[in-house]
């Protein structure tokens, strides 16, 4: 369970709290989507690349195919660890080595995790694990 307001994640096994940690979710205009999701795809390490418009809206990600729109601003982060995609908007839980500002919004919509937490969750949560973001 992820709280955008509290910038916190709680992982449960049944009714037992297994892990609690600060996270960093999306900054406007790329707020992290809220709802009930499931871990749908896992990748141990992935380069995350995309592009934004002049207002900072993500307008393209590599997984969309094709190429970035003309006049967009590319971004890229190599070797993002322990990626677990949860929705069809390319939003994922994953490790973040490029900042240590967990508890503050920092991302293009993903849920950034401290590296040890991301490694634990990647091994602990099988495909299909429910993820609620509110």
């Amino acid at each position: 369970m992820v709280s955008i307001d509290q910038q916190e994640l709680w992982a449960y096994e049944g009714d037992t709290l297994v892990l609690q940690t600060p996270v960093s979710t999306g900054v406007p205009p790329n707020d992290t989507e809220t709802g009930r999701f499931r871990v749908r795809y896992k990748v141990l390490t992935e380069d995350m690349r995309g592009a934004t418009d002049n207002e900072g809206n993500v307008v393209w990600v590599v997984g969309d195919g094709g190429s970035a729109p003309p006049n967009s601003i590319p971004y890229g982060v190599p070797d993002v660890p322990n990626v677990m995609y949860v929705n069809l908007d390319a939003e994922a839980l994953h490790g973040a080595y490029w900042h240590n500002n967990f508890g503050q919004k920092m991302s293009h919509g993903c849920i950034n995790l401290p590296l040890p937490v991301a490694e634990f969750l990647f091994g602990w949560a099988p495909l299909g694990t429910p993820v609620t973001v509110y």
Side-chain angles (χ1 to χ4, degrees), residues 69-125:
N71 301 317
S72 61
I73 303 161
Y75 67 85
V77 182
D79 301 322
V80 177
N82 301 299
V83 181
M84 295 185 292
Y85 286 100
V86 297
N87 66 19
L88 298 176
D89 292 328
E91 292 179 359
L93 296 152
H94 61 72
Y97 59 80
W98 52 92
H99 76 82
N100 194 24
N101 200 20
F102 301 102
Q104 302 296 316
K105 293 182 178 184
M106 298 284 296
S107 81
H108 284 111
C110 285
I111 300 162
N112 291 184
L113 303 168
L115 294 175
V117 170
E119 183 177 11
F120 169 79
L121 287 177
F122 190 87
W124 176 79

